[in-house]
Amino acid sequence: MAINREFVGKTYPDTPEFDVGRETIRDFANAIGDTNPAYHNVDAARELGHPDLIAPPTFPFVLTMKAMARAMFDPDLGMDYARVVHGEQHFDYERPIHAGDRLVVSASIAEIRSSGRNEYLTTRSELKTGSGELVCTTHEVIVSRGTAIGAS
């Protein structure tokens, strides 16, 4: 079944505020094996001019994963999750994420396209503070294998 192209441009409601904590940053850094002191030690982060620990560059995935799930599991979108693989992801930062930030995520479907037998769903997520300051924009590409129109 092909993905519903009418979903391009659809925006999902903001997620609840996420409190970025020191332990969350440390746990994420440990999970990816990154020993950068600015992710683990407040004094090291402050020596670099930050107010608190900073999050590793791929940390926004922790927050955008839930927002993206709203899109991927929307039954009207028609995506068969059993056929899905992660294609790519990139992050455009306005500033680093710090411990103590309270962030919300808004996600939208930016593009749906076909190539050969596969379809590509691109989502765009904005991470903002409660006051509306844009911190980071992410772009995720999900590949739906073998669902393009005409694929057998």
Side-chain angles (χ1 to χ4, degrees), residues 2-17:
I3 299 173
N4 185 347
R5 300 282 199 274
E6 292 178 13
F7 275 65
V8 173
K10 181 172 182 172
T11 299
Y12 291 84
D14 289 355
T15 62
E17 273 191 336

Side-chain angles (χ1 to χ4, degrees), residues 12-13 15 60-74 77 79 81 84-89 91 105-109 121-126 138-142:
Y12 291 84
T15 62
F61 187 72
V62 170
L63 289 83
T64 62
M65 176 176 58
K66 291 177 186 171
M68 289 179 357
R70 290 181 183 172
M72 289 191 309
F73 294 113
D74 185 329
L77 178 63
M79 180 172 276
Y81 193 71
V84 167
V85 295
H86 186 266
E88 66 180 74
Q89 187 165 22
F91 308 88
V105 179
S106 64
S108 61
I109 297 178
L121 172 80
T122 303
T123 61
R124 179 179 190 272
S125 299
E126 291 184 339
T138 69
H139 306 269
E140 302 86 16
V141 178
I142 305 300

